[in-house]
Amino acid sequence: MADIIQLLPDHVANQIAAGEVVQRPASVVKELLENSIDAGANSIKLIIKDSGKTLIQVIDNGKGMSATDARLSFERHATSKIRSADDLFSLNTKGFRGEALASIAAIAHVELKTKQEQDELGTLIEIEGSTIKNQEVTVTPTGTSLCVKHLFYNIPARRNFLKSNNVELRHIVDEFHRVALAHPDIEFVMYHNGSESFNLPKSNYRQRVVNIFGNRTNEKLVPVEEETEVLKISGFVGKPEFAKRTRTEQFFFVNNRFIKSPYLNHSINSAFEGLMKDGSHPSYFLNLTVDPKTIDINIHPTKTEIKFDDEHTLYAILRSAVKHSLGQFNIAPVLDFDRDRNLDTPYEFENKRVSTPSVEVDKSFNPFQEEKSPSRSNGSFSNYKKEPVAQWESLYVGLESKSTKTETDFSEVRFESEPETTSLFDNDKQVETSQTTYQLHNKYIISTIKSGMMILDQHRAHQRVLYEGLLKHLTVKESVSQQLLFPLSLEFTSSEMEILQGLKEDLEHTGFIFSVFKENVIEITGVPINVPESEVSIILEQLISDVEQEVPDSNFSATDLLAKSMSKSLAIKTGQNLTRFEQEHLVNSLFACKEPTVSPTNKVTFITMSVDDFDKKFI
């Protein structure tokens, strides 16, 4: 039998590796930014066109490469980060596998310009699909400029699986934020389609967070500092009252590398236990510094998951450090709930001597004197004016006669009885007192039907009613708004503003009126009918969360998503008590819908139980 196992050609192997390393344009952005950081750059520019599908370019002022290194950097498993297997257990750089550039060059057109500081001229290399088309000497500034054009040009199936431009741009911005937050000492600038999206100068960590997420973020941050033999923690957590419904502001960095860890995330949630509403997520921007020998980074192709030697210890330290910070800055409530902070001793009174107050008593004061005249002496009242109480017996004259008259008056009181009215029909009272719906545990509505009984989930049923109503307004593009007495101003991050900008027109069709919609601030002057002003921010945050989780592409209806999200936010919640009229109205409204049996998320809204079902229970 002939041998059937053979080595794959390099370009095929590179394309296979690209499937792990390069999943979308954001993967390329991550790899190139990390290479620039490893090169020692302190200023990095990211240029994007068409959400990375047409162009991804990263320009840095790092140390650059020689002509030989530039050519060798596109070979598989060629890296300057490690020399032996032992180096894998003490990594201090971002990349180390040597697969990134080789994988990117296999599925795109790549142009590399690089020059070292001591050289007069640099190197230009052009590659298409792992094939080097050109290499020559060129004039270029110190550092490296790498262009990636026409991503997945030779793998059309992968390109067709890419999402819409807005979705892919959102992933790129997420990767940009992760790298920029980990390195506040590096200047980052991002351009998209010729316009500047971010300009982050060198700063401290707090200022970097504020520059990315908006100026109002500064008042939301609570510093966290802790240093032990095992772990050093620095960074910030958000105040509980500013908790969001999304997880967009949750960042863990281990040795300046962004990671995802559900286990450590649980420790933060437990530290915030009892301080947030249900469904809210705390914000945190935490840097963890550990010994590189105690972690294993090489367990995932994207290097966003890390294996710790002792996760339980890190969990306990992280949880206690966050709880300590929340208590230290008076975020968490104290045990004495009646304590008045105004009664606390000021710091300047710490070493001040206590003086005994003096009390002066006027010994000549007589309250039984008839005539008194007010006067002041030595800063105190010496006399007290009192009205004469002579002939006090006259106050009680006639009291006995009045009480006698009162007793005789009561004997003459007559009580009027209300007129009795008879009904025209005998069954009117029965119709008024009969009740067809009942509420069970403020969650279910029970209604009687001919065949037996119907049990309805009030939250899901109201979702269906609101969903079809909102969908009608969005489709017809006719809605009614209620004007606000004072404009409502809300602030969002740049990525959240991108989402809202794409949904602005649909939001206006539902009844929202925007007077300001720029930078990181929106101002609302009108809201849909029956939407309370206090719920507006919750609705928009829920909408942003749904858009990020659903990740709708060009084939997905944004109108449908908006109607689902708003109906979920505005629907009657479990635990809300409904009057008899509200219960009946909800039942009638549900069965007036086109699809009353399921909620907008395809969950059952009601179930029925016949009399036969009850009979079987008693057998």
Side-chain angles (χ1 to χ4, degrees):
M1 183 176 177
D3 298 332
I4 59 175
I5 296 178
Q6 59 184 357
L7 292 174
L8 289 174
D10 287 342
H11 68 279
V12 177
N14 289 337
Q15 287 189 5
I16 295 174
E20 296 182 352
V21 179
V22 183
Q23 300 174 359
R24 53 180 4 124
S27 305
V28 178
V29 171
K30 174 181 180 294
E31 297 292 345
L32 297 187
L33 290 177
E34 290 182 348
N35 283 343
S36 296
I37 294 171
D38 288 339
N42 57 21
S43 178
I44 301 174
K45 292 182 181 179
L46 173 62
I47 301 172
I48 301 294
K49 286 186 179 179
D50 297 333
S51 300
K53 298 176 182 178
T54 302
L55 172 68
I56 301 173
Q57 184 177 8
V58 174
I59 305 172
D60 65 63
N61 62 348
K63 57 187 177 182
M65 292 181 287
S66 64
T68 303
D69 288 344
R71 179 69 176 264
L72 195 60
S73 64
F74 291 98
E75 298 295 330
R76 292 189 66 204
H77 306 302
T79 179
S80 62
K81 316 297 173 61
I82 60 175
R83 290 289 182 268
S84 64
D86 294 336
D87 295 337
L88 291 173
F89 302 101
S90 59
L91 289 171
N92 296 307
T93 57
K94 301 291 185 183
F96 55 88
R97 295 181 178 182
E99 291 180 327
L101 291 182
S103 301
I104 294 171
I107 54 175
H109 296 177
V110 178
E111 179 183 290
L112 171 68
K113 292 182 180 179
T114 183
K115 185 181 83 72
Q116 294 179 324
E117 186 177 2
Q118 66 272 15
D119 297 335
E120 294 183 359
L121 297 175
T123 304
L124 169 65
I125 296 179
E126 296 177 353
I127 301 177
E128 295 180 7
S130 297
T131 304
I132 297 179
K133 298 294 184 180
N134 182 30
Q135 179 175 351
E136 60 184 23
V137 177
T138 186
V139 177
T140 183
T142 301
T144 302
S145 170
L146 203 148
C147 294
V148 179
K149 305 175 183 177
H150 311 301
L151 192 66
F152 298 125
Y153 81 99
N154 54 354
I155 311 179
R158 290 292 300 275
R159 189 175 181 87
N160 292 335
F161 273 102
L162 293 180
K163 303 296 183 181
S164 63
N165 285 350
N166 289 335
V167 175
E168 294 298 340
L169 178 62
R170 193 160 64 246
H171 285 286
I172 291 175
V173 171
D174 289 343
E175 292 293 350
F176 180 79
H177 285 172
R178 293 167 181 174
V179 177
L181 283 172
H183 301 275
D185 56 334
I186 300 177
E187 177 188 9
F188 288 92
V189 182
M190 176 178 170
Y191 299 91
H192 180 241
N193 290 340
S195 61
E196 184 179 273
S197 300
F198 293 94
N199 190 341
L200 308 176
K202 300 177 184 178
S203 60
N204 56 32
Y205 191 57
R206 188 186 193 106
Q207 191 61 42
R208 175 57 57 89
V209 174
V210 172
N211 288 338
I212 292 178
F213 295 101
N215 294 328
R216 285 194 177 182
T217 311
N218 192 29
E219 63 182 88
K220 307 176 185 178
L221 300 179
V222 178
V224 179
E225 296 288 340
E226 188 68 39
E227 185 171 359
T228 65
E229 296 180 356
V230 180
L231 173 68
K232 178 182 179 183
I233 305 172
S234 64
F236 305 93
V237 295
K239 295 180 180 178
E241 60 264 31
F242 298 107
K244 293 193 170 187
R245 291 181 173 270
T246 63
R247 301 178 183 270
T248 54
E249 295 185 0
Q250 295 185 344
F251 295 90
F252 273 125
F253 301 98
V254 174
N255 296 350
N256 293 332
R257 183 192 301 273
F258 172 79
I259 67 160
K260 296 178 182 178
S261 176
Y263 185 70
L264 296 182
N265 179 71
H266 188 271
S267 69
I268 303 295
N269 291 332
S270 62
F272 277 87
E273 187 176 1
L275 300 177
M276 297 185 307
K277 297 179 181 178
D278 293 337
S280 300
H281 305 285
S283 302
Y284 53 81
F285 313 89
L286 296 175
N287 296 299
L288 311 180
T289 304
V290 299
D291 186 355
K293 297 181 180 179
T294 62
I295 58 176
D296 185 5
I297 304 171
N298 194 27
I299 64 172
H300 195 274
T302 60
K303 299 183 287 292
T304 56
E305 297 180 11
I306 289 181
K307 181 65 177 176
F308 296 93
D309 281 355
D310 190 359
E311 286 186 332
H312 300 288
T313 302
L314 300 183
Y315 182 99
I317 295 175
L318 188 59
R319 179 177 178 273
S320 61
V322 173
K323 286 184 71 71
H324 174 71
S325 294
L326 293 176
Q328 183 180 8
F329 291 92
N330 292 329
I331 305 301
V334 295
L335 292 178
D336 185 6
F337 296 101
D338 296 328
R339 183 176 70 94
D340 188 355
R341 297 179 62 183
N342 296 323
L343 300 179
D344 293 345
T345 305
Y347 288 110
E348 59 268 18
F349 282 34
E350 182 179 359
N351 298 321
K352 191 173 181 179
R353 296 186 62 183
V354 179
S355 59
T356 305
S358 60
V359 179
E360 297 182 2
V361 180
D362 186 4
K363 298 180 180 179
S364 63
F365 173 67
N366 186 359
F368 299 101
Q369 294 180 1
E370 294 183 359
E371 296 182 359
K372 308 294 179 184
S373 59
S375 62
R376 277 183 177 269
S377 63
N378 298 328
S380 64
F381 288 102
S382 60
N383 296 313
Y384 177 78
K385 183 178 180 180
K386 184 177 178 66
E387 296 294 334
V389 292
Q391 299 178 353
W392 57 270
E393 296 89 350
S394 62
L395 297 175
Y396 299 94
V397 174
L399 189 60
E400 183 178 355
S401 61
K402 288 181 181 179
S403 61
T404 307
K405 184 179 180 181
T406 304
E407 293 177 1
T408 58
D409 288 345
F410 276 115
S411 62
E412 298 175 1
V413 173
R414 296 181 179 179
F415 295 95
E416 293 184 359
S417 60
E418 295 183 357
E420 296 183 2
T421 57
T422 58
S423 175
L424 290 175
F425 303 99
D426 294 336
N427 59 351
D428 272 0
K429 284 188 177 180
Q430 296 178 359
V431 173
E432 290 179 0
T433 57
S434 63
Q435 185 172 352
T436 59
T437 59
Y438 303 88
Q439 192 175 21
L440 178 64
H441 295 304
N442 292 339
K443 182 177 183 180
Y444 299 105
I445 296 176
I446 300 175
S447 178
T448 57
I449 55 178
K450 290 183 178 180
S451 61
M453 181 178 66
M454 178 183 67
I455 304 174
L456 181 144
D457 188 309
Q458 64 184 31
H459 178 63
R460 296 181 184 178
H462 198 213
Q463 276 192 51
R464 165 54 64 177
V465 175
L466 292 174
Y467 170 71
E468 293 199 2
L470 290 167
L471 209 57
K472 179 181 177 182
H473 290 313
L474 289 168
T475 305
V476 180
K477 299 183 179 179
E478 292 180 0
S479 59
V480 181
S481 300
Q482 56 183 358
Q483 298 295 316
L484 299 178
L485 185 60
F486 300 103
L488 179 62
S489 180
L490 300 174
E491 185 169 340
F492 296 94
T493 63
S494 300
S495 58
E496 292 172 344
M497 287 295 291
E498 289 278 350
I499 297 173
L500 292 176
Q501 185 68 44
L503 298 171
K504 180 184 176 182
E505 185 177 353
D506 290 329
L507 286 170
E508 289 174 342
H509 292 157
T510 63
F512 283 98
I513 299 176
F514 302 98
S515 59
V516 176
F517 208 107
K518 60 181 181 180
E519 295 181 354
N520 293 338
V521 178
I522 63 173
E523 195 172 89
I524 301 173
T525 57
V527 295
I529 295 294
N530 298 328
V531 175
E533 183 179 348
S534 59
E535 294 286 328
V536 173
S537 61
I538 299 176
I539 292 172
L540 295 181
E541 287 183 6
Q542 183 66 54
L543 177 60
I544 293 171
S545 174
D546 291 341
V547 171
E548 290 177 341
Q549 292 175 7
E550 301 266 353
V551 194
D553 54 17
S554 57
N555 298 324
F556 193 89
S557 172
T559 303
D560 183 71
L561 177 63
L562 177 60
K564 285 181 180 178
S565 180
M566 291 188 63
S567 64
K568 182 166 56 176
S569 301
L570 296 173
I572 296 170
K573 303 296 188 292
T574 298
Q576 184 173 344
N577 187 24
L578 301 180
T579 64
R580 175 183 166 188
F581 173 77
E582 291 172 339
Q583 296 171 23
E584 294 177 351
H585 180 69
L586 180 58
V587 174
N588 296 332
S589 299
L590 176 64
F591 287 98
C593 295
K594 295 180 179 179
E595 293 289 343
T597 56
V598 292
S599 69
T601 54
N602 292 325
K603 295 182 179 178
V604 178
T605 56
F606 67 90
I607 60 172
T608 59
M609 297 185 68
S610 64
V611 177
D612 294 337
D613 294 332
F614 286 104
D615 292 339
K616 293 177 182 178
K617 298 290 183 182
F618 289 95
I619 294 177

